[in-house]
Amino acid sequence: MSFDSLGLRAELLRAVAAQGYTVPTPIQLKAIPEILAGHDILAGAQTGTGKTAAFTLPMLQMLHARPSQGRHPRALVLTPTRELAAQVEESVRTYGQYLPLRSAVIFGGVGMQPQVDRLRRGVDLVVATPGRLLDHVGQRTLDLGHIEILVLDEADRMLDMGFIHDIKRVLALLPKRRQNLLFSATYSEDIKRLADGLLNEPKLIEVARRSAAAELVSQVAHPVEQGRKRELLAHLIQEGGWDQVLVFTRTKHGANRLSEQLERDGITSAAIHGNKSQGARTRALSDFKAGSVRALVATDIAARGLDIDRLPHVVNFELPNVAEDYVHRIGRTGRAGSEGRALSLVSAEEHGLLLDIQRLLRRDIPMEPIPGFEPRPGQVAAPAEPDRRRGPPPQRRSGPPRGRAGAPEGHRTGGRGR
Ligand code: AMP
């Protein structure tokens, strides 16, 4: 299957080819013709499936085919985080490079005025986080009364982050007649309710869950005492000669502290989380991509939607409280067919979390002690309990994260758009 059969115009095919993409991903194959036919869609797709192009390409085509409404935007993409908004708009510009369409990205944490200036010059398409978008509407620097296409990207994460009221406020500002595209990695009751109220006879599109794609990732757990994790991580990075590693911590404070400690160990490092300014986050990401930062330490929310290709190594410095987050984390490695390695540093206190993850994945993660870092007796990680894993996978994304130690970054702290 090639892109040529999807009904896309030559300018878009040229932009896709310029990216080196020759074969559409499953979500692109299914979603692009439906969107071009004008249908609403409800798509279950995670980051890494090619979902951004799946909605961006047909959206650009439809905007190009219809006359512009002066300076008011005709398409709106809502995202949960600033990073994702920036990346989606970057994709819009990449795929739209041969079409005369204008786009803007709107998110909080940066000055209002440049965004106001940009909007005043006129745009066809806006990519935004909900809070700042509403600020613009409130100041009358943006009119959403001409939107023809609405995309909710990572809708489940938007709900997790408490954006439901903002989303409803945005929906109330849109014209009734429009096309709606909803993308979500998971289907909770909340997502179903949102979809029911929003979508009009939607086409359902489901692609393989990331846990299937995760087969390309080799996963291993290293038992280690909590107090020796930093030392073990530095050892792994240095002995392995890793140039680029993404490290996950559960808390913002933990991310900062670990990043500073790695620097003291002679490993260039930067932390990325919701308390960092937008500028600092963008800088950390570009330094990491450019290779001047070896270890990028991130919280789950900050890492969500980061567009980093083919990372060879991802380390869970701490296991996430929600097993589903583990799947998102390890999805950062082994993309696009290249083998990746996901390592988890697991202390005795984290066994329950590891079991949850194994139940969700329906597979064991092998425990491999590293010589010199084996936990002392009494601190040894227990092996998986096979009979616990026969049951249904644990409930995903319902209620607050479980677990005791530390407050994970979440609800309204990370990437809140204002
Ligand atoms: P996304 O799921 O939108 O975050 O996309 C994941 C990654 O896949 C991005 O880095 C895209 O640039 C890349 N990508 C998107 N479509 C294709 C394709 N058809 N072939 C290869 N890579 C792709």
Side-chain angles (χ1 to χ4, degrees), residues 3 21 23-25 28 46-52 307 309 335:
F3 276 99
Y21 306 154
V23 182
T25 64
Q28 291 162 2
Q46 298 174 315
T47 304
T49 54
K51 67 182 168 67
T52 313
D307 188 18
D309 279 339
R335 269 190 190 178

Side-chain angles (χ1 to χ4, degrees), residues 46 91 103 110 198 213 258 268 298 305 325 335 348 418:
Q46 298 174 315
S91 294
S103 61
V110 294
L198 177 71
L258 179 60
T268 52
D325 283 339
R335 269 190 190 178
R418 290 186 203 252

Side-chain angles (χ1 to χ4, degrees), residues 282-348:
T282 307
R283 206 159 43 243
L285 185 60
S286 59
D287 286 351
F288 182 62
K289 284 185 173 179
S292 59
V293 158
R294 244 171 124 182
L296 186 66
V297 185
T299 55
D300 290 289
I301 286 186
R304 177 89 175 180
L306 282 185
D307 188 18
I308 313 172
D309 279 339
R310 285 186 285 276
L311 276 180
H313 298 98
V314 167
V315 172
N316 297 303
F317 190 77
E318 287 139 342
L319 289 178
N321 277 326
V322 180
E324 181 80 22
D325 283 339
Y326 176 88
V327 181
H328 287 303
R329 289 178 175 191
I330 70 167
R332 294 289 165 200
T333 179
R335 269 190 190 178
S338 65
E339 166 91 5
R341 205 164 157 72
L343 303 89
S344 300
L345 310 189
V346 181
S347 68

Side-chain angles (χ1 to χ4, degrees), residues 220-267:
V220 63
H222 298 309
V224 60
E225 288 169 31
Q226 186 64 35
R228 295 198 67 198
K229 281 188 175 181
R230 199 252 325 130
E231 207 186 328
L232 173 56
L233 176 61
H235 170 84
L236 290 168
I237 293 173
Q238 273 155 347
E239 292 300 303
W242 301 349
D243 294 330
Q244 237 190 1
V245 55
L246 180 61
V247 183
F248 285 95
T249 61
R250 289 182 47 233
T251 66
K252 293 176 268 195
H253 181 62
N256 279 338
R257 198 175 43 208
L258 179 60
S259 172
E260 285 159 17
Q261 288 167 333
L262 288 174
E263 284 278 339
R264 282 199 288 277
D265 290 331
I267 296 165

